[in-house]
Amino acid sequence: QAQLVESGGGLVQPGGSLTLSCTVSGNFFAIRGVGWYRQAPGQERKYVASRAFDGWTNFADAVKDRFSISGDLNNTLVLQMNNLKPEDTGVYYCHAEIHHGDYTSLKDYWGQGTQVTVSS
């Protein structure tokens, strides 16, 4: 099993910055990728950004010029969010794809979620 622990988030004014962290731990074979999704009130959960085991990093069009990822996939990954907008408001969930046993077994894990509110 794997565990995801998130930290960060909070309340910020438009144009401000916030940082989210996600730490993956547990007993497993390997990590395929780690990323974030967000869910605004009354909406479905949507993809934000991710980093794969080979370093390939991807961002949703809505955030690609404002968000960045740093850190270590096998330790703590950090999502830096700059120039935040009210539409960035929502609960942000860390997501990980984990191999168990070998590379043919893959399972999804989710963090507990952290609130990000962008408001003046």
Side-chain angles (χ1 to χ4, degrees):
Q1 291 295 319
Q3 295 81 41
L4 275 60
V5 177
E6 299 183 60
S7 62
L11 173 64
V12 66
Q13 293 185 344
S17 298
L18 284 174
T19 299
L20 303 181
S21 297
C22 180
T23 301
V24 181
S25 64
N27 185 17
F28 48 82
F29 182 70
I31 299 174
R32 180 178 180 180
V34 178
W36 283 267
Y37 286 71
R38 67 186 181 192
Q39 188 167 20
Q43 297 185 20
E44 63 182 16
R45 194 173 297 186
K46 295 181 179 179
Y47 172 82
V48 175
S50 62
R51 173 171 286 180
F53 68 98
D54 58 0
W56 182 80
T57 303
N58 189 52
F59 298 91
D61 288 342
V63 308
K64 64 176 32 180
D65 295 328
R66 301 182 291 118
F67 291 11
S68 62
I69 290 178
S70 64
D72 183 352
L73 200 68
N74 292 293
N75 189 351
T76 298
L77 208 62
V78 176
L79 180 69
Q80 177 67 42
M81 305 183 293
N82 297 326
N83 190 22
L84 284 162
K85 304 175 180 181
E87 52 263 43
D88 293 318
T89 295
V91 179
Y92 283 67
Y93 294 92
C94 180
H95 170 257
E97 294 179 303
I98 304 292
H99 293 287
H100 288 284
D102 55 39
Y103 288 113
T104 64
S105 173
L106 194 64
K107 184 175 180 180
D108 288 324
Y109 289 85
W110 294 92
Q112 76 276 14
T114 187
Q115 179 69 43
V116 170
T117 302
V118 185
S119 175
S120 56

